[in-house]
Amino acid sequence: MKESVLGMVDLTVLIITKNEENNIGKCIRSLRGIAKRIVVVDSFSTDRTAALAKKLGANVYTHPFEDHASQLNWGLENTGITTEWVMRVDADEELTKELTEEIRRKLPRLPKRVTGVMLRRRVYFMGRWIKHGGIYPTYLLRIFRHGKAICEQALMDEHFLLTEGESVRFSKDLIDNNTKDLEWWINKHNWYSNKELEEQLEQRRLLKQANGTADHQSVMKPKLFGGQAERKRWLKYMVYYRTPLMRRAHWYFLYRYIFRLGFLDGPEGLAFHFLQGYWYRFLVDAKIYEHEKLHGTVKKSGALEAES
C-alpha cells in the first residue's frame, strides 16, 4: 500500500451522525492529513451537522436510521469506498496527535495477515478523563481492511468483527469527548434504556428456552477467556442478566466505584459512575419490571431525537 506525499494513508473514515453540530467539527479536523476520504452517513439531522461536515470536506450521505449496526453496514456498502483500509469513528470522538502519527507510521506496514486494528479509547465526562471503574482502557476494533469486517447486528454494544485474518493493538488513544450537556446525556441514556429493554427481554426468553446465551443472534460470541469485548459480553449475559432485577444495579455500582477505584475520578467520576453505572442500569430494570407487571408491548427505538 502506498502513502501519498502528504502523508495520507489509504484510509476512508466512516462516521454516522444525527444532530452532531457540537462535535462533528473537532472530529473531522482531527482526521485531517491522514484519511484520504471522510464519509458521513447522516440520519436527517435538523441542525447544521451535514452542512458543517461538507464544509470540512466530508462526503455526506443521508439514510434513514434503523439501528447503529444497520447504519454502519449500509455506509460500508453504499458510499463507494475504494481504499484498502476503513476506520469507524463516532461523531463525538477524535484522534490524538499521537494516534494519528501511529496510524500513519504503522498501518501501511502491517502484513497481509493482519486485517484489523484495535484502538484504545479514552472517555471524558464533564471535561475529565475517566481513568477508573473499569472504563479505561477499552479496546475496540476500529480499523480494518475493506471487505474484511462487518458490524454485528446487535441492539446494544455493537462491535465490528473480522470476517478473516487477525488483529493487532495500537498503543495510542482515541478520545471520546462528547461536548453536549448533561441533559442531552440523560436523554440519550433514557433512549438507550429502551433498546436495552428489548435486548434483555429477548436474552431472558432465550436463556429460559435453551439455558444458554443467544449467541446465534450475535456475530461475536460471549467467551470468558476471549478478548476484552468477548469477556465483557460473557459477564453481561451469563452473570449480570442472571442477577435479580434492581439489586444488580447496586452491586454493579459498588463494584465499579469501590473495587475498581472509580472514586479516584473525583466529582466528575462520581457523577459518571453513578449515572452510567447505577441510575442507567436501575432505569433499565425498572422498565423491565413495568413491562412484566403491566404486560406492555416493547416499542422499537428509532433514531435518537434528543438534542443539545
Side-chain angles (χ1 to χ4, degrees):
M1 182 171 60
K2 297 179 180 179
E3 289 181 88
S4 74
V5 294
L6 296 178
M8 289 190 182
V9 180
D10 195 17
L11 173 71
T12 296
V13 176
L14 176 62
I15 309 168
I16 62 172
T17 59
K18 175 66 183 286
N19 293 339
E20 291 287 357
E21 68 176 8
N22 286 31
N23 293 307
I24 194 64
K26 66 182 177 66
C27 176
I28 292 178
R29 282 190 287 269
S30 76
L31 299 165
R32 283 179 171 170
I34 186 171
K36 282 189 175 179
R37 186 167 178 246
I38 299 172
V39 169
V40 170
V41 178
D42 186 71
S43 52
F44 301 98
S45 290
T46 56
D47 63 4
R48 297 186 302 136
T49 298
L52 287 171
K54 289 178 182 177
K55 185 177 180 180
L56 291 169
N59 299 131
V60 178
Y61 296 78
T62 303
H63 185 255
F65 184 90
E66 297 176 25
D67 53 65
H68 286 95
S70 298
Q71 197 79 337
L72 287 162
N73 286 326
W74 186 92
L76 288 177
E77 297 168 3
N78 296 279
T79 59
I81 296 174
T82 59
T83 54
E84 182 173 358
W85 294 94
V86 181
M87 180 179 184
R88 179 247 173 118
V89 176
D90 290 339
D92 57 0
E93 295 175 336
E94 56 193 291
L95 277 64
T96 59
K97 292 181 179 179
E98 294 80 9
L99 177 58
T100 298
E101 181 55 35
E102 185 175 26
I103 292 171
R104 181 181 288 115
R105 178 168 43 88
K106 291 183 178 180
L107 198 64
R109 297 174 175 82
L110 290 176
K112 288 295 183 181
R113 70 176 184 277
V114 175
T115 55
V117 177
M118 308 286 287
L119 299 184
R120 187 169 65 178
R121 185 175 63 185
R122 182 198 304 177
V123 174
Y124 283 79
F125 184 77
M126 292 184 177
R128 180 166 184 148
W129 177 6
I130 305 299
K131 297 181 181 180
H132 304 92
I135 302 302
Y136 180 84
T138 297
Y139 288 94
L140 302 167
L141 181 69
R142 289 302 190 89
I143 303 176
F144 47 88
R145 294 189 193 271
H146 187 215
K148 305 299 183 183
I150 190 171
C151 187
E152 59 172 340
Q153 199 63 48
L155 286 173
M156 290 289 298
D157 301 323
E158 70 286 338
H159 292 267
F160 270 103
L161 298 138
L162 297 178
T163 55
E164 61 180 89
E166 61 187 63
S167 65
V168 296
R169 287 183 175 182
F170 281 1
S171 62
K172 307 305 179 183
D173 288 356
L174 174 72
I175 291 177
D176 179 337
N177 183 20
N178 198 311
T179 59
K180 294 180 181 180
D181 61 20
L182 186 58
E183 181 178 2
W184 181 89
W185 190 96
I186 290 171
N187 288 336
K188 181 182 77 168
H189 280 74
N190 184 43
W191 177 78
Y192 274 141
S193 71
N194 293 326
K195 295 177 73 65
E196 188 135 357
L197 169 64
E198 294 178 56
E199 181 192 67
Q200 289 202 35
L201 290 175
E202 180 64 8
Q203 289 296 329
R204 290 175 71 184
R205 182 184 69 80
L206 291 165
L207 282 168
K208 288 180 181 179
Q209 286 182 351
N211 194 30
T213 61
D215 53 19
H216 66 277
Q217 288 191 321
S218 302
V219 179
M220 183 179 70
K221 296 182 180 181
K223 293 180 182 179
L224 177 59
F225 300 107
Q228 185 188 56
E230 293 168 321
R231 184 168 59 255
K232 284 184 176 180
R233 184 159 293 182
W234 188 92
L235 290 169
K236 184 177 182 180
Y237 286 179
M238 301 304 293
V239 179
Y240 189 81
Y241 281 177
R242 293 171 180 261
T243 305
L245 288 177
M246 313 290 192
R247 278 179 273 175
R248 59 192 182 185
H250 295 268
W251 297 336
Y252 180 60
F253 170 70
L254 290 174
Y255 168 74
R256 270 177 56 166
Y257 194 67
I258 303 299
F259 293 101
R260 296 302 302 270
L261 308 180
F263 62 88
L264 295 178
D265 289 321
E268 298 87 353
L270 174 58
F272 178 80
H273 295 298
F274 179 83
L275 290 172
Q276 204 267 346
Y278 180 79
W279 170 80
Y280 168 67
R281 300 293 171 187
F282 195 93
L283 178 63
V284 173
D285 284 358
K287 289 187 177 184
I288 292 173
Y289 180 78
E290 178 190 47
H291 169 81
E292 293 178 341
K293 181 179 180 180
L294 302 179
H295 305 289
T297 58
V298 179
K299 297 180 180 179
K300 291 189 175 182
S301 301
L304 176 62
E305 297 296 337
E307 302 177 29
S308 60

